[in-house]
Amino acid sequence: MSALVSVVNLKKYFPLKSGMLDRVAGYVRAVDDVTLDIDKGETLGLVGESGSGKTTLARCILKLIDPTAGEIFFEGANMTKLDEAAIREFRRHIQAVFQNPFQSLDPRWSIADIISEPLRTHMRMADKEIDDQIARLMSFVGLGEEQLYKYPHELSGGQAQRVAMARALVLSPKLVILDEPTSALDVSVQAQMLNLLADIKKKIGLTYLFISHDLSVVRYISDRVAIFYAGSVAEIGDSAEVFTKPLHPYSQALLSQVPIPDPKIARSKKKILIKGEIPSLVSLPSGCRFHPRCPYVKEKCVRDEPQLANVENRMVKCWLCQ
Ligand code: SF4
């Protein structure tokens, strides 16, 4: 598979200012030297505790914020070097759906206006063409045309998230970033939404970056998974392989928390508890950033930072595996 997006040594540091002179007293290292590919047609799941930098990485890929260092390639073009006109064109190809649809849908606009706005702004289309297109999209995301004349507050959470998805799809993007898209929904609606997302991807060959702290959801939807820890990738590989046999000690502990529906198997599986807290992104530990919490820590881990290395058909950032 070829890469649709390649993130290379990406860093995003936010300055911490203090005092009367607003002097920079330090940096929040939200994304710290991340390298990963999102392959065409795949769903890459991104998991990790909250505050681990997942959303900051997504915001860099969406060009909502500029990285501090590193590069992002989209279909081979270096996004960090594009001019304004090229960025506008690029934005059509990458869309996003966020956790709370009511925050991303303008409450003063009807659903028809919300979905058709990108077409009116970016495409030269006749009104009739636009009407046909949004009617097709509504049916595609499982909504009736009668919903077009409603306002966001008249919709349920699930319906509003379907509208957010329709709006994301209206310009035929190549990548959709889904940032906790099911977290605010009821469990029964969550399952419907996941099936819809999988269905849409299959029908039109989309690529997803799926961000969630819900491990069961990521396991269900992802082809590959990247485990994020304190601004950095700890492990990345085929989702089934990583969930079945995680190699990084952090992945092992995190994935041991995935609920197992069969009570017999669940009883035989031990949950691994991680001591301590995720470190502050302002003062990361020396060497391996997981070392203060790792049960296998050795001297080298405290001194030297491991790099991602190819182990058992995936990339792992741990001295134990190298
Ligand atoms: Fe643990 Fe060392 Fe591996 Fe870090 S490098 S996860 S401290 S064994």
Side-chain angles (χ1 to χ4, degrees), residues 248-250 288-292 294-298 301-302 304 306 317-321:
H248 192 285
Y250 175 65
C288 169
R289 57 195 66 202
F290 187 58
H291 89 251
C294 181
Y296 310 106
V297 59
K298 46 189 180 175
C301 308
V302 180
D304 304 324
K317 199 175 191 181
C318 172
W319 289 124
L320 218 58
C321 310

Side-chain angles (χ1 to χ4, degrees), residues 27 44 57 65 80 105 115 168 171 186 198 200 229 261 274 300:
Y27 290 92
L44 176 68
L57 174 64
I65 50 175
T80 39
L105 305 178
I115 300 179
L171 293 175
D186 293 343
I200 290 173
Y229 183 76
I274 322 172
K300 188 177 175 62

Side-chain angles (χ1 to χ4, degrees), residues 67-319:
T68 308
E71 287 165 324
I72 300 168
F73 295 88
F74 183 80
E75 293 190 313
N78 190 340
M79 306 307 309
T80 39
K81 301 222 156 67
L82 294 185
D83 60 22
E84 273 306 310
I87 287 173
R88 269 199 301 280
E89 171 62 20
F90 152 84
R91 286 219 162 95
R92 285 184 45 196
H93 298 304
I94 303 189
Q95 297 290 323
V97 172
F98 297 101
Q99 179 173 358
N100 185 344
F102 295 106
Q103 275 175 1
S104 53
L105 305 178
D106 192 323
R108 298 162 302 172
W109 288 19
S110 71
I111 303 309
D113 288 339
I114 288 171
I115 300 179
S116 61
E117 189 269 337
L119 290 178
R120 296 188 198 284
T121 309
H122 294 278
M123 316 288 271
R124 288 192 181 167
M125 287 170 78
D127 285 353
K128 170 83 175 72
E129 266 182 289
I130 291 179
D131 290 347
D132 290 349
Q133 174 107 340
I134 60 174
R136 266 197 306 276
L137 264 175
M138 288 295 274
S139 132
F140 199 51
V141 298
L143 291 173
E145 278 188 54
E146 70 281 0
Q147 312 284 3
L148 278 172
Y149 306 100
K150 292 187 174 173
Y151 286 79
H153 73 272
E154 297 176 274
L155 304 179
S156 68
Q159 288 171 332
Q161 200 58 303
R162 285 169 191 258
V163 170
M165 192 62 191
R167 188 186 153 101
L169 295 178
V170 74
L171 293 175
S172 306
K174 295 178 179 170
L175 172 71
V176 178
I177 297 182
L178 301 155
D179 192 352
E180 303 276 6
T182 57
S183 306
L185 306 177
D186 293 343
V187 177
S188 59
V189 184
Q190 269 187 14
Q192 289 169 14
M193 193 67 201
L194 286 173
N195 288 335
L196 176 74
L197 292 171
D199 211 34
I200 290 173
K201 181 182 159 234
K202 209 157 111 195
K203 279 187 186 148
I204 56 177
L206 264 180
T207 303
Y208 289 149
L209 175 63
F210 192 98
I211 301 171
S212 180
H213 69 281
D214 186 330
L215 300 168
S216 308
V217 165
V218 172
R219 181 178 201 165
Y220 173 77
I221 198 137
S222 305
D223 301 301
R224 289 191 310 134
V225 64
I227 313 278
F228 238 62
Y229 183 76
S232 169
V233 174
E235 180 166 357
I236 181 167
D238 177 88
S239 179
E241 287 175 13
V242 173
F243 272 91
T244 310
K245 190 186 170 199
L247 296 180
H248 192 285
Y250 175 65
S251 315
Q252 289 169 357
L254 188 74
L255 301 188
S256 76
Q257 313 296 326
V258 181
I260 297 168
D262 184 328
K264 257 192 195 163
I265 303 175
R267 270 195 297 276
S268 68
K269 287 257 176 188
K270 256 198 173 162
K271 284 193 177 168
I272 305 169
L273 294 175
I274 322 172
K275 61 177 186 179
E277 300 285 326
I278 189 168
S280 159
L281 297 175
V282 179
S283 54
L284 288 166
S286 62
C288 169
R289 57 195 66 202
F290 187 58
H291 89 251
R293 306 173 78 187
C294 181
Y296 310 106
V297 59
K298 46 189 180 175
E299 212 184 309
K300 188 177 175 62
C301 308
V302 180
R303 200 181 53 232
D304 304 324
E305 181 168 18
Q307 298 304 311
L308 279 175
N310 200 332
V311 190
E312 293 187 28
N313 202 27
R314 71 188 82 163
M315 304 298 284
V316 189
K317 199 175 191 181
C318 172
W319 289 124

